[in-house]
Amino acid sequence: MLEYHQQSSLEIMKRLDVTNQGLNDYDVQNRKKIYGSNKLVEGKRTSTFAVFFGQFKDLLVIILIIAAFISFLLGEVGSTIVIMIVVILNAILGTVQHVKAEQSLDNLKALTTPVAKVMRNNQIVEISSEDIVVGDLLYLVAGDYINADGRLLESHNLHINESSLTGESFAVAKSTEPINENHVSIGDKKNMVFTGGFVTTGRGTIIVTAIGMETEIGKIANLLDTAKEKKTPLQVSLDHFGENLALGITMICVAIFTIDLFRGRELVESFMFAVSLAVAAIPEALSSIVTIVLAFGTQKMAKENAIIRKLYAVESLGSVSVICSDKTGTLTENKMTVQQVYTDQKVIPKDQLNTEIAIEKNLILMALLCNDALERDNIEIGDPTEIALVKLGKQYGLDELIVRSNNPRVAEIPFDSDRKLMTTVHRSNLQSMMITKGAVDVLLPKIAKIETSTGVRTITEEHRNKIEEVNRDFSMNGLRVIAIAYKDIQVHQSIDAWGERDLIFVGLIAMMDPPRKESKASVESCIKAGIKPVMITGDHKITATAIAKQIGILNDPSEAIEGYEIEGLTDQQLQEKVQDISVYARVTPEHKIRIVKAWQEKGHVVAMTGDGVNDGPALKQADIGVAMGITGTEVAKDASSMILTDDNFSTIVKAISNGRSLYTNIKNAILFLLSGNTGAIFVVLYATVLGLPVPFAPVHLLFINLLTDSLPAIAIGLEPNNKNTMKDKPRDIQTPLLNKKFTIQVMLEGLLIAISTIIAFRIGLQTGDTLTATTMAFTTLCLSRLVHGFNSRSKESIFTIGVFSNKYTWLAFLIGFLCLHLVLFIPSLTGVFEVATLSGVQLVIIYSLSCMPFLVNQWYKLLFVRSTK
Ligand code: ATP
């Protein structure tokens, strides 16, 4: 059988049994059964079972299991049971955390599966790319990723970048002509497109010939990487820190073990104690706490319209000091309405056009023809600029579809925000008409004549000056202006961008795109938070300046420059200037990269928005590449680290605020873990140095580790956003989390817990036996760490931020409190956990001492921590 590239489009349609109306539901169902889903097979995931057993690989856990075994051999079945319960519960907790984090990351990924536009049941619909079947008619426009292999049926200047398959970085021009050769390499199959490529310009339609593993890339790839989320910089540094800490703690434990032996304590007992101390003091949960907090945090952000694609972005979000944002649709509503028109040397309000006058009617007709938008039953499809033109037509009884069917389009050069122009060719009887619309400053140099009510004339300087003056007036009112021109060409004359010259000017159409209601407040909040908002737009400088002024981005017109001015600056000069510029107009994607780099060179962390196919490199260069979920191309989304599902600038600001909070929460959770563990070590060191009895039984330490580690730490990680978050300056990304100040804080807080515990221990020793003393020490350490969970919620006092505003910390506290009291008071447990029966007075002493670190901490915060309220 002939290969697809050798056959004509009609033959392929017949071969795959498809009509112009696309497949119907029945066909789709059948084909799904035959060909399966359009997915590349992923590598196997680790099962929950494997994750669970993976928890036992940890060296400490292995040592614990050995310890349990030794206890068993020595007949201490109680200890064996307790250790094994602790080990298993720990593994369950670890597994639940892992699975939960993975689930929420999967949910995030599901939100970003690519979509495809296909013709089905004679209607163009958007489907998930996984649902594409062989025979589907797929529509491609600039910026789309190609998600199936297919043969071209239609191509308008379609260029595809196939570098992922062929290594060729230049885009390939595609055509529909059959190729009469047998063995043609992928790169030479000009009439086919392949999964993995993306459309750089133009548009086209393909019929899908292969999906999933049958595609060319599927055949090469065999197995797709499971795309395991890489660890974030914070996690890497915590892992590193954790390893060093573990080493330090192990050394302390070995020292304590040796001293114990030296003092004549039994070998097994000393060993068990040293191991338990290591388990209690080493914060195994560090990195996984970060994962789980980030996973929950990103889910919350997704609900607030910001989908995080790369976890590390959350960490950088809190440090963002510059947001470079598009104007149209991000700062403005992207709902354009025509306001005024300029034609035949007159400015006419949009309601006062007269379609009896040929030139006025022609202007509207051309605006409808050189246009891809549609409006039916209040449903709008297409670019808002073009929808505005369609609505103008409707106002004067000119229906876009009727106008278009009377003047069929035979060729086109689609709109491209680099060129800022769009051209279409329409057939009439003997001649064809070429219509070009686009930015005034780009179109005007291509104009040779002007249409007037008295006929077509050569354009004069005076005409040009007048057009420029009107354009300026429109722009100063924040209006976006489109110029429209045309010329007659020969039938069948092929067109390209070179043909866009010697045009006849017809008129200007000016439209309003109001700023979003929330933009002004968000810009203000950015500035207060030490973040510089910068507008980067393809629009005219004067329009951009007017809008920027309205929303507070710009104060003085000197803060605005045009893209071409950047070209005259060296990188060094741009760096010097960059901090004084708030608006960049008529910008191309190359300018965007230079702007990002200039800010970064100045030591800033930059968030940059983008939607177009050429925005990819700038989005990748930015610390946070932000793609538009609604208007963004698949290519932009793929290059981004965050997607805005509502395209709204305010969402970026909200995401930054969330990013700041998440980082603070993670820091607080770590502070909690480390300070509590330090407390335990201080107590043991104290007792060892002074030659006092050992303050805890091994089971005590294991129990404390189980109850006072992960649960409260996660609860602290879930602390709601503090409303003062956006009053601080951005966090310096260079400052490590575990800096000197943080270490001192850990030590001081650990010391407070240790002091309480030591006092309890000493009172126990003085008033009772060793068992009572260890029970008091154990209970105080456990309880004070649980109460300390409230301290770690914020650098401010909990009486300032709200005692009950984080219900998870209460839940973690209550679970811990309850379990502790079960151990203390249920007779069958007291033996196993080696605790004495405590008197009421002793309990009161313990409760009071446990609250001491809390009270000191809160007192300090109330008195000395500046409330930013
Ligand atoms: P931003 O980067 O803020 O989103 P933008 O995306 O609106 O700006 P472009 O879409 O690149 O910028 O538009 C740049 C200019 O191109 C506009 O000022 C307008 O004159 C012209 N233009 C926009 N849309 C069209 C279109 N569909 N057809 C022809 N010209 C257009």
Side-chain angles (χ1 to χ4, degrees):
M1 191 184 280
L2 287 177
E3 289 193 45
Y4 287 116
H5 67 267
Q6 296 174 292
Q7 292 186 296
S8 73
S9 345
L10 277 179
E11 282 165 339
I12 296 175
M13 303 259 301
K14 216 160 139 203
R15 176 169 162 185
L16 295 176
D17 195 14
V18 189
T19 67
N20 283 334
Q21 308 195 339
L23 300 171
N24 59 35
D25 295 341
Y26 177 74
D27 293 334
V28 173
Q29 292 233 322
N30 272 344
R31 286 172 197 228
K32 269 212 153 160
K33 272 186 213 142
I34 302 170
Y35 300 105
S37 233
N38 181 29
K39 273 199 280 194
L40 293 174
V41 179
E42 288 193 2
K44 266 223 158 97
R45 280 231 162 172
T46 356
S47 66
T48 311
F49 244 163
V51 173
F52 178 73
F53 285 112
Q55 311 284 322
F56 294 96
K57 281 194 204 139
D58 198 73
L59 183 64
L60 274 178
V61 177
I62 295 172
I63 295 178
L64 266 185
I65 295 173
I66 295 174
F69 187 65
I70 295 176
S71 308
F72 181 73
L73 290 184
L74 295 175
E76 297 204 14
V77 186
S79 291
T80 312
I81 294 174
V82 173
I83 298 176
M84 285 320 288
I85 289 177
V86 168
V87 167
I88 290 170
L89 279 181
N90 244 331
I92 293 177
L93 211 64
T95 311
V96 172
Q97 279 181 26
H98 182 100
V99 172
K100 266 269 167 213
E102 204 157 64
Q103 263 172 5
S104 55
L105 295 178
D106 278 352
N107 290 346
L108 274 186
K109 273 199 195 122
L111 291 176
T112 56
T113 45
V115 288
K117 288 178 280 301
V118 294
M119 170 74 91
R120 285 193 182 165
N121 303 309
N122 203 21
Q123 260 184 347
I124 298 179
V125 284
E126 223 167 57
I127 58 169
S128 154
S129 66
E130 286 181 4
D131 294 329
I132 298 174
V133 293
V134 170
D136 260 328
L137 305 183
L138 203 70
Y139 289 80
L140 298 173
V141 294
D144 280 351
Y145 257 105
I146 295 165
N147 296 307
D149 288 2
R151 168 73 161 81
L152 273 164
L153 301 180
E154 212 183 314
S155 164
H156 297 286
N157 195 33
L158 186 72
H159 285 70
I160 311 268
N161 181 316
E162 291 176 339
S163 53
S164 60
L165 268 164
T166 60
E168 170 63 58
S169 59
F170 285 105
V172 187
K174 294 285 178 178
S175 72
T176 54
E177 295 304 307
I179 301 168
N180 282 327
E181 278 170 56
N182 223 340
H183 299 292
V184 182
S185 69
I186 294 183
D188 290 330
K189 287 186 183 170
K190 297 270 158 64
N191 56 11
M192 297 203 58
V193 298
F194 303 97
T195 303
F198 64 88
V199 185
T200 57
T201 43
R203 67 183 178 92
T205 314
I206 62 163
I207 176 164
V208 173
T209 53
I211 60 166
M213 295 307 283
E214 292 306 310
T215 59
E216 294 298 333
I217 200 141
K219 287 183 206 156
I220 312 170
N222 272 330
L223 279 184
L224 192 72
D225 265 351
T226 340
K228 244 190 156 215
E229 185 77 42
K230 276 210 313 245
K231 289 201 166 183
T232 71
L234 180 60
Q235 278 172 320
V236 174
S237 78
L238 281 179
D239 279 350
H240 189 67
F241 168 79
E243 278 162 22
N244 288 339
L245 192 70
L247 200 71
I249 292 173
T250 311
M251 274 155 62
I252 295 178
C253 292
V254 171
I256 288 173
F257 173 68
T258 322
I259 296 172
D260 275 358
L261 277 186
F262 191 67
R263 288 207 175 124
R265 208 172 164 203
E266 243 186 72
L267 174 81
V268 176
E269 218 177 279
S270 311
F271 173 72
M272 291 280 280
F273 181 74
V275 170
S276 316
L277 182 63
V279 172
I282 294 174
E284 319 83 17
L286 271 188
S287 170
S288 67
I289 294 279
V290 178
T291 315
I292 192 125
V293 172
L294 287 182
F296 279 119
T298 46
Q299 268 204 320
K300 173 172 174 253
M301 287 162 88
K303 281 192 200 117
E304 294 177 2
N305 300 323
I307 300 174
I308 296 291
R309 293 189 62 247
K310 314 247 161 75
L311 264 194
Y312 66 78
V314 184
E315 285 166 25
S316 329
L317 261 177
S319 300
V320 166
S321 51
V322 182
I323 309 176
C324 297
S325 170
D326 281 344
K327 171 180 73 71
T328 314
T330 314
L331 288 160
T332 65
E333 282 186 359
N334 212 8
K335 288 198 185 102
M336 313 255 177
T337 40
V338 173
Q339 302 288 319
Q340 281 169 311
V341 161
Y342 172 73
T343 187
D344 198 17
Q345 314 207 44
K346 289 189 301 258
V347 173
I348 311 169
K350 71 149 183 183
D351 300 325
Q352 292 171 26
L353 283 163
N354 183 349
T355 45
E356 304 280 299
I357 301 173
I359 186 169
E360 292 182 24
K361 183 170 179 185
N362 283 343
L363 181 68
I364 304 178
L365 287 177
M366 287 180 197
L368 294 179
L369 287 173
C370 184
N371 187 323
D372 292 321
L374 277 180
E375 196 219 26
R376 278 285 169 280
D377 309 322
N378 286 330
I379 297 173
E380 300 167 348
I381 302 171
D383 171 27
T385 305
E386 299 193 339
I387 291 169
L389 302 176
V390 166
K391 285 185 171 164
L392 179 71
K394 290 258 163 67
Q395 188 180 344
Y396 290 95
L398 298 169
D399 182 277
E400 71 277 16
L401 290 187
I402 300 174
V403 171
R404 286 173 202 166
S405 70
N406 290 341
N407 304 271
R409 187 188 288 188
V410 288
E412 69 188 63
I413 311 175
F415 175 72
D416 167 343
S417 54
D418 274 1
R419 293 183 340 108
K420 300 181 174 54
L421 291 179
M422 165 171 179
T423 292
T424 53
V425 178
H426 303 266
R427 202 178 50 225
S428 54
N429 294 337
L430 293 173
Q431 278 211 309
S432 291
M433 181 195 278
M434 170 175 161
I435 307 172
T436 303
K437 79 175 194 310
V440 187
D441 37 341
V442 185
L443 194 59
L444 210 49
K446 299 176 187 296
I447 281 170
K449 297 183 182 143
I450 183 166
E451 175 119 357
T452 68
S453 46
T454 51
V456 174
R457 317 197 167 267
T458 304
I459 194 160
T460 62
E461 241 355 81
E462 203 181 320
H463 287 132
R464 283 186 196 278
N465 290 342
K466 177 78 183 159
I467 294 170
E468 278 168 2
E469 186 192 317
V470 174
N471 180 33
R472 218 172 11 252
D473 285 349
F474 284 158
S475 303
M476 279 202 311
N477 290 320
L479 300 180
R480 149 178 291 217
V481 191
I482 300 279
I484 296 190
Y486 77 99
K487 73 175 177 185
D488 292 326
I489 58 171
Q490 300 293 319
V491 177
H492 303 311
Q493 183 179 335
S494 65
I495 57 156
D496 56 26
W498 284 107
E500 289 165 341
R501 58 197 156 92
D502 297 332
L503 300 170
I504 306 165
F505 177 83
V506 188
L508 303 179
I509 301 181
M511 48 194 86
M512 182 67 190
D513 176 21
R516 287 177 183 266
K517 281 194 301 296
E518 55 279 29
S519 291
K520 195 169 177 182
S522 299
V523 165
E524 205 180 303
S525 127
C526 266
I527 294 169
K528 273 202 194 125
I531 302 167
K532 165 118 179 141
V534 177
M535 178 191 277
I536 299 193
T537 176
D539 225 334
H540 196 282
K541 180 169 148 184
I542 304 177
T543 313
T545 306
I547 302 278
K549 206 161 188 178
Q550 281 178 36
I551 53 183
I553 284 189
L554 162 145
N555 296 315
D556 190 277
S558 66
E559 295 168 36
I561 68 169
E562 287 206 14
Y564 78 88
E565 294 176 57
I566 297 179
E567 283 161 25
L569 300 175
T570 63
D571 288 346
Q572 187 63 37
Q573 286 168 327
L574 182 61
Q575 276 174 41
E576 275 154 29
K577 224 173 144 77
V578 78
Q579 277 162 320
D580 302 322
I581 300 172
S582 312
V583 172
Y584 296 85
R586 291 286 191 242
V587 166
T588 65
E590 291 75 44
H591 300 144
K592 283 186 163 185
I593 301 183
R594 290 197 58 202
I595 298 167
V596 173
K597 282 191 178 158
W599 276 108
Q600 285 173 332
E601 285 296 322
K602 285 258 157 198
H604 286 268
V605 177
V606 187
M608 160 76 83
T609 68
D611 49 11
V613 54
N614 297 333
D615 284 338
L619 289 174
K620 282 198 176 136
Q621 174 70 37
D623 301 276
I624 308 279
V626 186
M628 298 298 135
I630 304 172
T631 57
T633 55
E634 293 295 327
V635 172
K637 287 180 196 167
D638 196 62
S640 67
S641 41
M642 178 165 107
I643 299 178
L644 306 180
T645 54
D646 61 354
D647 289 10
N648 192 337
F649 177 80
S650 309
T651 304
I652 309 177
V653 183
K654 235 185 278 164
I656 291 179
S657 158
N658 278 322
R660 287 184 175 192
S661 293
L662 274 182
Y663 192 88
T664 312
N665 291 351
I666 289 173
K667 190 171 165 179
N668 290 338
I670 296 172
L671 175 66
F672 168 78
L673 282 177
L674 297 185
S675 53
N677 291 2
T678 311
I681 293 193
F682 280 165
V683 177
V684 175
L685 281 178
Y686 169 85
T688 311
V689 171
L690 293 194
L692 299 175
V694 182
F696 310 108
V699 302
H700 295 162
L701 292 170
L702 296 177
F703 182 84
I704 289 173
N705 182 55
L706 187 69
L707 271 192
T708 63
D709 251 20
S710 305
L711 281 186
I714 293 173
I716 293 163
L718 299 179
E719 179 74 21
N721 288 9
N722 184 321
K723 50 181 177 299
N724 294 327
T725 317
M726 290 301 268
K727 289 183 183 162
D728 290 333
K729 296 281 161 265
R731 173 176 56 82
D732 180 1
I733 202 143
Q734 305 297 343
T735 317
L737 182 136
L738 306 157
N739 55 17
K740 202 167 145 199
K741 191 174 153 216
F742 187 79
T743 317
I744 293 175
Q745 203 176 344
V746 167
M747 294 290 171
L748 286 179
E749 293 188 3
L751 194 64
L752 282 177
I753 294 174
I755 291 173
S756 287
T757 311
I758 290 169
I759 296 176
F761 185 51
R762 295 225 78 140
I763 294 176
L765 282 178
Q766 268 163 21
T767 56
D769 54 6
T770 315
L771 186 64
T772 312
T774 50
T775 308
M776 286 184 74
F778 154 63
T779 316
T780 311
L781 179 63
C782 189
L783 205 54
S784 55
R785 286 192 58 167
L786 286 173
V787 182
H788 183 54
F790 295 107
N791 285 334
S792 306
R793 283 180 53 199
S794 165
K795 65 174 185 192
E796 289 176 56
S797 157
I798 69 162
F799 301 107
T800 319
I801 57 171
V803 177
F804 296 104
S805 54
N806 181 350
K807 54 182 186 300
Y808 302 107
T809 44
W810 277 100
L811 194 67
F813 172 78
L814 289 175
I815 292 175
F817 188 83
L818 193 75
C819 290
L820 176 65
H821 286 76
L822 290 180
V823 165
L824 289 178
F825 295 115
I826 294 198
S828 51
L829 291 180
T830 48
V832 180
F833 281 92
E834 300 176 32
V835 289
T837 314
L838 295 171
S839 67
V841 176
Q842 284 165 334
L843 266 183
V844 172
I845 295 173
I846 289 171
Y847 288 160
S848 318
L849 285 170
S850 303
C851 288
M852 195 271 288
F854 170 79
L855 294 174
V856 174
N857 193 299
Q858 293 302 317
W859 164 81
Y860 174 81
K861 284 176 178 168
L862 277 174
L863 279 193
F864 300 109
V865 176
R866 168 188 62 99
S867 172
T868 21
K869 254 187 177 174

